[in-house]
Short mmCIF file of all heavy atoms in Angstrom, two decimals:
data_model
loop_
_atom_site.label_atom_id
_atom_site.label_comp_id
_atom_site.label_asym_id
_atom_site.label_seq_id
_atom_site.Cartn_x
_atom_site.Cartn_y
_atom_site.Cartn_z
N GLU A 14 -67.02 -20.47 -39.96
CA GLU A 14 -66.50 -19.62 -41.04
C GLU A 14 -65.29 -20.29 -41.70
O GLU A 14 -65.13 -20.22 -42.92
CB GLU A 14 -66.15 -18.23 -40.50
CG GLU A 14 -66.07 -17.22 -41.63
CD GLU A 14 -65.96 -15.76 -41.16
OE1 GLU A 14 -66.39 -15.44 -40.02
OE2 GLU A 14 -65.43 -14.95 -41.96
N VAL A 51 -57.27 -27.19 -36.27
CA VAL A 51 -56.22 -27.30 -37.31
C VAL A 51 -56.90 -27.14 -38.66
O VAL A 51 -57.93 -27.77 -38.92
CB VAL A 51 -55.52 -28.68 -37.24
CG1 VAL A 51 -54.56 -28.85 -38.43
CG2 VAL A 51 -54.76 -28.84 -35.94
N LEU A 66 -59.42 -13.70 -41.62
CA LEU A 66 -60.39 -14.00 -40.56
C LEU A 66 -59.70 -13.93 -39.19
O LEU A 66 -60.20 -13.28 -38.26
CB LEU A 66 -60.98 -15.40 -40.81
CG LEU A 66 -61.69 -16.08 -39.64
CD1 LEU A 66 -62.96 -15.31 -39.25
CD2 LEU A 66 -62.08 -17.52 -40.00
N GLY A 93 -55.35 -21.51 -30.37
CA GLY A 93 -55.85 -20.92 -31.61
C GLY A 93 -55.77 -21.89 -32.78
O GLY A 93 -55.98 -23.10 -32.63
N ARG A 109 -35.41 -26.52 -66.42
CA ARG A 109 -34.03 -26.96 -66.66
C ARG A 109 -33.19 -25.86 -67.31
O ARG A 109 -31.98 -25.78 -67.09
CB ARG A 109 -34.02 -28.20 -67.56
CG ARG A 109 -34.48 -29.48 -66.86
CD ARG A 109 -34.38 -30.66 -67.80
NE ARG A 109 -33.01 -30.81 -68.32
CZ ARG A 109 -32.06 -31.46 -67.69
NH1 ARG A 109 -32.31 -32.04 -66.55
NH2 ARG A 109 -30.84 -31.54 -68.20
N PRO A 118 -45.04 -25.21 -50.42
CA PRO A 118 -44.22 -25.42 -49.22
C PRO A 118 -44.27 -26.83 -48.63
O PRO A 118 -43.35 -27.24 -47.94
CB PRO A 118 -44.82 -24.43 -48.22
CG PRO A 118 -46.21 -24.19 -48.70
CD PRO A 118 -46.14 -24.28 -50.18
N HIS A 201 -34.93 -12.78 -48.15
CA HIS A 201 -34.12 -13.21 -47.01
C HIS A 201 -34.55 -12.59 -45.69
O HIS A 201 -33.97 -12.89 -44.65
CB HIS A 201 -32.63 -12.98 -47.34
CG HIS A 201 -32.22 -13.88 -48.47
ND1 HIS A 201 -32.03 -13.41 -49.75
CD2 HIS A 201 -32.04 -15.22 -48.53
CE1 HIS A 201 -31.74 -14.44 -50.55
NE2 HIS A 201 -31.74 -15.53 -49.83
N GLY A 208 -41.93 -18.47 -39.44
CA GLY A 208 -43.38 -18.36 -39.51
C GLY A 208 -43.95 -17.25 -38.64
O GLY A 208 -45.13 -17.30 -38.26
N PRO A 233 -12.15 -42.59 -37.58
CA PRO A 233 -12.29 -42.66 -36.12
C PRO A 233 -11.00 -42.17 -35.44
O PRO A 233 -9.91 -42.39 -35.98
CB PRO A 233 -12.52 -44.15 -35.84
CG PRO A 233 -12.38 -44.87 -37.14
CD PRO A 233 -11.89 -43.91 -38.17
N LYS A 267 -21.97 -44.53 -29.82
CA LYS A 267 -22.56 -45.67 -29.10
C LYS A 267 -24.08 -45.67 -29.26
O LYS A 267 -24.70 -46.71 -29.47
CB LYS A 267 -22.20 -45.59 -27.61
CG LYS A 267 -20.77 -45.94 -27.30
CD LYS A 267 -20.67 -47.42 -27.00
CE LYS A 267 -19.28 -48.01 -27.15
NZ LYS A 267 -18.15 -47.22 -26.79
N GLU A 270 -25.05 -46.80 -32.73
CA GLU A 270 -24.84 -48.25 -32.90
C GLU A 270 -26.00 -49.03 -32.28
O GLU A 270 -26.56 -49.95 -32.88
CB GLU A 270 -23.52 -48.66 -32.26
CG GLU A 270 -23.15 -50.09 -32.58
CD GLU A 270 -21.72 -50.41 -32.16
OE1 GLU A 270 -21.38 -50.17 -30.98
OE2 GLU A 270 -20.95 -50.90 -33.00
N GLU A 295 -13.16 -37.83 -61.64
CA GLU A 295 -12.86 -38.91 -60.69
C GLU A 295 -11.46 -38.71 -60.09
O GLU A 295 -11.24 -38.88 -58.90
CB GLU A 295 -12.94 -40.25 -61.43
CG GLU A 295 -12.99 -41.43 -60.51
CD GLU A 295 -13.32 -42.72 -61.25
OE1 GLU A 295 -13.35 -42.70 -62.50
OE2 GLU A 295 -13.53 -43.73 -60.57
N HIS A 307 -4.79 -38.40 -45.68
CA HIS A 307 -3.42 -38.25 -45.19
C HIS A 307 -3.40 -37.28 -43.99
O HIS A 307 -2.77 -37.56 -42.97
CB HIS A 307 -2.55 -37.73 -46.34
CG HIS A 307 -1.11 -37.62 -46.00
ND1 HIS A 307 -0.33 -38.73 -45.72
CD2 HIS A 307 -0.30 -36.54 -45.87
CE1 HIS A 307 0.88 -38.32 -45.43
NE2 HIS A 307 0.93 -37.00 -45.51
N ILE A 352 -25.71 -24.67 -30.76
CA ILE A 352 -24.80 -23.54 -30.70
C ILE A 352 -23.87 -23.49 -31.92
O ILE A 352 -23.59 -24.52 -32.53
CB ILE A 352 -23.97 -23.58 -29.38
CG1 ILE A 352 -23.44 -24.99 -29.16
CG2 ILE A 352 -24.82 -23.11 -28.22
CD1 ILE A 352 -22.80 -25.23 -27.83
#
Side-chain angles (χ1 to χ4, degrees):
E14 199 170 336
V51 173
L66 163 65
R109 287 182 57 85
H201 295 104
K267 286 269 160 35
E270 188 169 53
E295 194 170 8
H307 184 65
I352 46 189

